[in-house]
């Protein structure tokens, strides 16, 4: 019995002429309407936008936190199974016998370029240091934060957030796009990945909705990346020039002011738009090629002047610990703790004060001492043992708060960023086998991320453990931790040179990321075309700038990234569901293609 040929007739109607020539008008207009509406809301009603986004984000996390955690764990194990099965792993993404378009060296180099981006510049030191002070083991009270005992668990979760799970998210999208584009000659767009499940339905409104979700997720994911990058860019400018007008000096530590952030955003996005209009893209590409060299120089500086032995020791022990805890890290999800459950877990003498005790006991960012000192009235008179039991009763709430604030934020960020990185990985992987693509794009970049985090972050932690920094690195803002670490590691002309080099690195990463993100959005809106019009790149550059700027202005003074973060997590949720369908769809496609191959082989043998 023959197996029907797969549906490949994806038709994305595009305009034949006019402003939207070669673009899908519904996708473009709906995407723009959503983004422009978000911008106007944030500008006209900033307080309402900030509070509503924060409230909606909190409500969604209470319901979907476990969903985010479990589905990302599923993504990794799904890819592992696909790679291990012989019939699926050896399948070539292209025509039978087609050779890879790029050499292994070029392929790995481009993957490293995708991995060593703005996120790693910002969080190379901020991530290990932040998790050293607060991670689930610290939250449980098993160890104290910022101590040698907390180092192992700090890197366990650092590796979780930047390791195999993170790259599995990108590869799910990238593999789905590449498989259909190169084996079935279908458009390189999101809806193509769902054709095995929905067939001709992808040619209508349903397909438009799927592609719009991809555009919205991409622009919000890129917005958060650029937002953090611009903040670090401003910190770097301050370290070099000492310009006070770009900083808020009223707090405990200097942080980029909203004036500084908006100014930096305009400069970065202006350069990105100019490169798109004037053809200076070649220059930007040349500078982006230097990013790998500059990154190696920065890494080499930490190897020579930093705590390399401490970092490598940490790398080895952290890798073993990460592997041993891999399964629990993948699926250990927490839900919110209800007031009733908290009260029921309290000792009898404390139940009358449940309302007074719950807030402090479930605060993921507090401590037992902070919990005790924050109590008032009769609750504060409870004995030590009763208070310890009350604090223990709130552990699920603390674990949920921590997981939602750290791991789920990262999963949402990587999911929102996955159309961007996934499309990039797909474009450079034609001719590779499925197994080669999965192993190469999940493990190789993750190992580089691990090394980057342990060398840079380990040096910062060692400076704090040795007492050289005296809490200055811990106390610095996340985007300034790298520059603060450099200032305690070296000085003089070399420090000035490295500060300038880091600012150049950040700037070129940001410009190329913005350009690439805009290209991906235009590719989706043009039905998979890799050649997009300059005028549309300009418009989406302006929209991207407006989205980031409006949400920064709408956020509170102390946390200018909050509104961006909340909008991104909300926007990533629908696309997370699309990615789940992508996995089911890809499993069906691989299975049916294997059946077709077997039927074809048996038919050939019978004919012979």
């Amino acid at each position: 019995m023959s197996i029907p040929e797969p549906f490949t007739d994806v038709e994305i109607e595009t305009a034949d002429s006019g402003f939207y020539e070669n673009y899908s008008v519904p996708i473009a207009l709906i995407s723009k309407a959503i983004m422009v509406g978000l911008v106007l809301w944030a500008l006209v009603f900033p307080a309402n936008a900030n509070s509503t986004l924060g409230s909606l984000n909190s409500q969604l996390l209470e319901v979907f936190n476990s969903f985010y955690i479990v589905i990302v764990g599923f993504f990794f194990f799904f890819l592992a199974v696909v790679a291990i099965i012989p019939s699926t792993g050896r399948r070539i993404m292209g025509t039978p016998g087609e050779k890879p378009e790029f050499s292994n060296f070029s392929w790995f180099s481009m993957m490293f370029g995708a991995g060593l981006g703005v996120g790693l510049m910002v969080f190379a030191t901020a991530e290990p240091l932040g998790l050293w002070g607060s991670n689930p083991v610290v939250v449980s009270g098993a160890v104290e934060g910022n101590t040698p005992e907390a180092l192992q668990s700090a890197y366990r979760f650092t590796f979780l957030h930047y390791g195999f799970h993170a790259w599995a998210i990108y590869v799910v999208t990238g593999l789905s796009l590449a498989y259909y584009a190169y084996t079935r000659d279908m458009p390189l767009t999101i809806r193509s990945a769902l054709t095995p499940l929905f067939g001709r339905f992808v040619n209508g409104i349903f397909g438009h909705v799927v592609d719009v979700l991809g555009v919205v997720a991409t622009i919000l994911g890129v917005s958060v990346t650029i937002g953090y990058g611009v903040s670090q860019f401003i910190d770097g400018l301050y370290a070099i020039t000492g310009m006070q007008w770009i900083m808020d000096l009223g707090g405990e530590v200097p942080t980029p002011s909203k004036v500084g952030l908006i100014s930096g955003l305009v400069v970065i996005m202006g350069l990105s738009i100019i490169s798109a209009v004037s053809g200076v893209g070649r220059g930007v590409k040349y500078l982006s090629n230097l990013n790998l060299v500059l990154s190696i120089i920065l890494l080499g500086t930490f190897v020579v002047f930093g705590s390399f032995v401490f970092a490598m020791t940490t790398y080895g022990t952290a890798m073993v610990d990460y592997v041993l805890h891999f399964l629990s890290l993948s699926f250990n999800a927490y839900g919110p703790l209800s007031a009733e459950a908290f009260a029921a877990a309290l000792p009898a003498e404390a139940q009358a004060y449940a309302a007074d005790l719950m807030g402090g006991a479930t605060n993921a960012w507090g401590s037992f001492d902070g919990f005790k000192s924050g109590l008032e009235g009769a609750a504060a008179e409870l004995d030590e043992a009763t208070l310890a039991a009350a604090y223990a009763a709130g552990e699920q709430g603390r674990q949920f708060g921590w997981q939602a604030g750290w791991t789920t934020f990262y999963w949402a960020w990587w999911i929102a960023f996955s159309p961007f990185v996934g499309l990039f990985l797909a474009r450079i992987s034609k001719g590779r086998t499925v197994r080669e693509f999965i192993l190469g794009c999940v493990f190789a970049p993750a190992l580089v991320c691990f090394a980057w985090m342990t060398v840079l972050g380990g040096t910062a932690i060692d400076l704090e453990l040795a007492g050289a920094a005296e809490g200055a690195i811990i106390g610095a803002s996340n985007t300034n931790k790298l520059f603060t670490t450099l200032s305690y590691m070296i000085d003089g002309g070399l420090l000035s040179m490295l500060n300038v080099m880091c600012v150049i690195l950040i700037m070129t990463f940001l410009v190329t990321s913005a350009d690439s993100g805009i290209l991906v959005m235009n590719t989706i809106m043009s039905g998979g075309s890799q050649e997009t019009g300059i005028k549309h790149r300009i418009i989406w550059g302006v929209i991207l700038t407006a989205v980031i700027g409006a949400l920064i202005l709408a956020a509170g003074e102390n946390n200018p990234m909050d509104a961006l973060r909340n909008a991104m997590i909300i926007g990533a949720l629908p696309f997370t569901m699309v990615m789940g369908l992508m996995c089911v769809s890809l499993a069906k496609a691989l299975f049916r293609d294997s059946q077709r191959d077997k039927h074809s082989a048996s038919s050939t043998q019978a004919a012979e």
Side-chain angles (χ1 to χ4, degrees), residues 197-506:
L197 289 181
F198 299 101
R200 298 185 184 278
F201 282 108
V202 302
N203 287 336
I205 295 175
F206 175 76
H208 294 336
V209 171
V210 169
D211 285 342
V212 167
L213 292 177
V215 172
V216 171
T218 300
I219 198 168
L220 292 174
V222 171
S223 293
V224 170
T225 300
I226 293 176
Y228 275 116
V230 167
S231 181
Q232 191 176 42
F233 177 68
I234 296 300
D235 276 316
L237 285 180
Y238 179 65
I240 295 169
T241 66
M243 292 187 296
Q244 297 186 3
W245 67 270
I246 60 176
M247 301 295 288
D248 179 3
L249 304 175
E252 294 182 4
V253 294
T255 56
S257 66
K258 288 190 176 182
V259 172
L261 289 172
I262 298 300
S263 301
L265 176 66
V266 170
V267 169
I268 295 297
M269 293 306 299
L271 289 172
S272 179
I273 294 172
I274 289 171
S275 74
V277 175
S278 63
V280 187
R282 292 181 180 178
V284 173
K285 289 177 183 177
Y286 175 72
L287 286 176
S288 68
N289 290 335
L290 288 178
N291 282 347
L292 184 59
V293 176
L294 296 179
S295 298
I296 292 172
I297 293 173
L298 179 61
L299 189 65
T301 303
F302 275 85
V303 169
V304 174
F305 296 98
S307 308
F308 184 65
V309 175
F310 175 83
M312 288 299 95
T313 304
T314 302
Y315 188 108
T317 56
M319 179 62 72
V320 173
D321 182 69
Y322 172 58
V323 171
L324 290 175
H325 290 87
F326 193 82
L327 196 60
S328 64
L329 291 172
S330 299
F331 298 109
N332 193 14
Y334 291 94
L337 179 65
S338 67
E340 293 78 12
F342 175 73
L346 290 174
E349 57 271 27
Q351 289 184 353
Y353 310 106
D356 299 322
L357 297 169
M358 185 172 180
T362 56
N363 179 15
W365 320 116
S367 64
F368 179 58
D369 290 336
F371 163 66
K372 290 191 297 181
S373 63
L375 296 175
E376 298 178 351
E381 303 299 324
L382 295 170
D383 61 80
E384 184 84 4
T386 302
L387 290 177
Y391 190 69
E395 182 179 348
Q396 181 186 326
R398 295 196 301 277
Q399 295 288 0
F400 164 74
W402 187 94
Q403 191 174 66
W406 276 91
T407 305
T408 304
F409 161 68
Y410 276 120
W411 289 174
W413 192 2
W414 304 154
I415 287 166
F417 217 52
S418 67
F420 171 29
V421 181
L423 190 61
F424 171 78
L425 294 178
R427 281 182 170 177
I428 66 174
S429 300
K430 186 177 183 181
R432 300 279 171 183
T433 66
V434 169
R435 182 179 296 113
E436 200 175 8
F437 182 74
I438 293 172
L439 295 179
C441 295
V442 170
F443 290 95
L447 293 175
V448 172
C449 291
F450 294 163
W452 189 264
M453 290 286 184
T454 48
V455 173
L456 275 67
T459 295
I461 290 175
D462 193 40
L463 287 169
E464 290 288 3
L465 282 173
E470 299 179 336
I473 304 175
I474 294 175
S477 66
N478 281 341
T479 53
N480 196 35
K481 280 183 167 63
L482 174 60
F483 295 104
T484 306
T485 301
L486 286 171
S487 71
Y488 279 91
M489 192 174 73
I490 52 179
D491 56 18
L494 181 59
L495 174 62
S496 300
M497 184 187 75
L498 282 170
N499 282 338
V500 171
M501 188 190 77
C502 286
V503 169
I504 293 172
L505 254 177
I506 295 162

Side-chain angles (χ1 to χ4, degrees), residues 32 34-44 219-220 223 226 262 265-266 269-270 273 518 538-554 564:
K32 286 179 181 177
I34 292 172
M35 290 299 110
V36 171
L38 180 61
V39 169
L40 292 175
W41 181 33
L43 289 177
V44 178
I219 198 168
L220 292 174
S223 293
I226 293 176
I262 298 300
L265 176 66
V266 170
M269 293 306 299
I273 294 172
I518 293 167
I538 297 172
I539 291 171
W540 275 105
V542 172
I543 291 175
L544 181 59
T545 307
V547 168
I548 301 169
L551 291 175
I552 286 175
L553 291 174
L564 265 176

